[in-house]
Amino acid sequence: MDWAGSFRWLFDFRRGASNHLVPRWLFLRALGLIYFSAFFPLLFQIRGLIGPNGILPASEYLQAVAQSLGHLSRLWYAPTLLWFSSSSPMLVALCWTGMVASLLLVCNLWPRAMLMICFACFLSFVSAAQDFSGYQSDGMLLEAGFIALFFAPPGFRPGLGRTHPPSRASMFLLLWEWFRIYFESGVVKLLSGDPQWRNFTAMDEYYQNGPLPTWIGWYVQHLPHWFHAGSVYATLALELGLVWMFLLPRRWRFVCFFIVTPWQIGVILTANYTFLNYLVLALGVLLLDDKLFHRWVPQGSPLLLDVGAESAALSPMRSTYNTIKPSFSSAILLWIFYATTVPMLWMFWRDLPLPTQPVVALEPFRIANRYGLFAVMTRGRYEIEFQGSNDGQNWVAYPFGYKPQDVGQPPRIYAPYQPRFDWNLWFASLGEWREYPIVLNTEVRLLSSDKDVLALFAGNPFPQGPPRQIRAVLWQYWFTSREEKQLTGAWWRREMRGLYAPTLEREADGKIGAIAMPTVEPRE
């Protein structure tokens, strides 16, 4: 076997996938928009989340990391630019830098450099955001963004990059990520032992109980059981079976694309999963090839023009670089492939004797992830609500901008925008307050009317000054029936479950103390 030839076929751009230039162009433009959708919400939230006066200050977290680890170890464990400064101006600059770089990536200006900037800025946030970055969607974006560094064409204005087609290895790893998002999610549904998946009832209340529902989800929720049971079957069939078609010849990959794309659009319309589904859609474009687009796009279209392509003539120094580069790229990409494949194999064979260090070493960078969406379906919808009072009798709620609260307000569609505070409170509502310090920390910040934390809410019910007492209560929510909505106009009905976290009071001397303890019972 010609190992050298196989190596060059996989990793050398000169033998790259020259028939995937248009899908690459489209994917990188979509990736730029997705990066922008990740940075833009942070511009309004990052100070309240991890700023110096935020809920989980990055400075305190990084200080704790520095005290626990050595100088080099801390940089690997928490790879973030916030080591230089975690002040509010630095946090805002991080968002603006990422936004500008993402828009330049959309405009196809110096794509590799812009991808590197986007990756560094987003990783810097994720590495210091603690509970506010524990989402699979963040790992998906960082993994795709890092691999795209090896996938994108070089140059300032590369056009389609005809002289530098994508390496087959980088394109495969992007499709490998797309495949794993589906397949591993299907596997965990079966391995979790959740009876709802086995009994085909997992979708009966899915649209109501997910993190942030939509008004379309309200209508879909009221479809008959056979529809929801069919959705369970289709989900498992797609995730466990259909996605294997990415390994089949061209015609079958097209069939796969035109099935999973409408599926993802349906998910976007019925639930707000931030930029997750948009990223999966963008990765799916790589199932297509140039021949398909040449059939649909008129000749002379700017999409098919190769503006600013580099000359094929190479200087001796450039030639040497192009000889060394495949070796470096191959080492990195093979490492990622190993670190993503081994955890998937462990899902089936836990005792498989394979080295774990290559997997563990990449974990802080979130570029080789294990996925598993909705392994266990939630059995109820609970919402945490913060309330303030000056007399301990009359309580006024702090209004949220995105998660359900007012029963008369329809749930909206706003993905890929991600309200990380609202999103995290959904997870907290399913657990106990000691597991989620963001709740008690928010109460403390509200007692001083911290403007950065108040910006995470839709308004401030105490504009004249902070209240004397703050509490967090737990409600259970249900979609109304068709009859209830027609009669009352309400989209939700709700019932108070009790006090979720300690009620805090600021005394005259400025000290804060707890005056009441939680009363809610554990949820299923």
Side-chain angles (χ1 to χ4, degrees), residues 52 54-65 86 130 441 445:
I55 298 172
L56 296 176
S59 57
E60 296 179 7
Y61 170 72
L62 294 177
Q63 184 179 4
V65 172
S86 55
Q130 306 150 80
N441 289 0
R445 298 303 187 197

Side-chain angles (χ1 to χ4, degrees), residues 88-319:
S88 291
M90 178 64 175
L91 295 174
V92 173
L94 201 70
C95 297
W96 275 111
T97 302
M99 288 168 58
V100 171
S102 64
L103 291 177
L104 291 176
L105 175 60
V106 173
C107 296
N108 202 18
L109 296 176
W110 208 358
R112 286 187 177 175
M114 296 306 106
L115 281 166
M116 177 59 74
I117 293 172
C118 287
F119 178 81
C121 290
F122 194 60
L123 178 63
S124 293
F125 166 76
V126 168
S127 297
Q130 306 150 80
D131 291 353
F132 292 116
S133 63
Y135 317 129
Q136 294 191 55
S137 55
D138 291 338
M140 292 177 190
L141 180 54
L142 287 171
E143 183 175 336
F146 184 79
I147 298 171
L149 288 167
F150 304 87
F151 184 67
F156 183 71
R157 296 184 60 198
L160 285 180
R162 294 185 190 277
T163 60
H164 288 78
S167 70
R168 299 177 191 278
S170 63
M171 188 173 71
F172 173 80
L173 279 182
L174 288 170
L175 283 172
W176 182 239
E177 178 184 0
W178 172 89
F179 167 79
R180 287 172 19 250
I181 291 171
Y182 282 109
F183 182 69
E184 293 180 354
S185 296
V187 171
V188 298
K189 289 176 174 60
L190 298 184
L191 296 181
S192 68
D194 185 357
Q196 295 188 80
W197 287 110
R198 299 177 184 273
N199 298 334
F200 291 87
T201 59
M203 303 296 289
D204 286 4
E205 295 184 354
Y206 154 80
Y207 304 96
Q208 165 190 285
N209 294 341
L212 297 169
T214 72
W215 63 270
I216 295 177
W218 185 95
Y219 289 100
V220 177
Q221 180 78 65
H222 291 86
L223 294 175
H225 170 69
W226 64 262
F227 174 84
H228 300 307
S231 297
V232 173
Y233 178 83
T235 298
L236 295 175
L238 186 150
E239 293 180 344
L240 295 172
L242 183 76
V243 292
W244 286 94
M245 295 169 68
F246 92 105
L247 295 172
L248 298 179
R250 177 176 183 265
R251 183 185 301 271
W252 294 106
R253 294 198 304 272
F254 287 7
V255 171
C256 182
F257 172 83
F258 287 108
I259 292 176
V260 298
T261 297
W263 182 272
Q264 286 297 327
I265 293 174
V267 176
I268 289 171
L269 294 175
T270 55
N272 289 293
Y273 294 123
T274 68
F275 52 78
L276 187 156
N277 303 101
Y278 293 89
L279 180 58
V280 177
L281 279 175
L283 289 167
V285 171
L286 301 178
L287 293 167
L288 309 177
D289 60 21
D290 290 350
K291 186 177 180 180
L292 177 69
F293 288 101
H294 284 205
R295 181 182 304 173
W296 289 350
V297 180
Q299 291 297 320
S301 168
L303 185 61
L304 299 182
L305 297 179
D306 199 22
V307 179
E310 293 187 359
S311 171
L314 300 176
S315 65
M317 183 177 296
R318 184 71 174 177
S319 179

